[in-house]
Amino acid sequence: SDTGNQNIVRFVDAKQDQSSNSIQIISELCTGGTLLDLLEKYNGKLSEAQIVHIIKDICLGLKLMHDKGI
């Protein structure tokens, strides 16, 4: 089901790879880049405002998951 929230990535499937003892998580495509991409773009130096924005988004996503019992 759709979460309707930009701070949540929709889970599609997960598969366990016995040979490498790892789990592959399949999610919706997110084209905005990753946190690692952002850190690389700014040579690992984010402003306080950028950090606050990122942490706020993480917390809002986590709250939504908790509200849904996840």
Side-chain angles (χ1 to χ4, degrees):
S1 72
D2 182 42
T3 61
N5 187 288
Q6 68 180 9
N7 299 314
I8 301 291
V9 175
R10 188 167 38 91
F11 172 82
V12 175
D13 197 7
K15 299 179 181 190
Q16 185 171 8
D17 183 344
Q18 298 292 341
S19 63
S20 65
N21 197 27
S22 64
I23 297 175
Q24 298 174 339
I25 298 174
I26 302 164
S27 67
E28 69 179 301
L29 176 62
C30 299
T31 59
T34 66
L35 180 54
L36 182 57
D37 293 334
L38 187 64
L39 287 169
E40 288 174 353
K41 179 179 178 181
Y42 292 100
N43 296 318
K45 297 176 183 170
L46 301 177
S47 70
E48 184 177 337
Q50 288 171 306
I51 294 168
V52 167
H53 180 76
I54 291 165
I55 291 173
K56 180 180 174 186
D57 281 349
I58 292 169
C59 290
L60 289 171
L62 185 59
K63 179 186 181 313
L64 179 65
M65 291 186 342
H66 284 184
D67 290 348
K68 293 185 175 285
I70 300 170

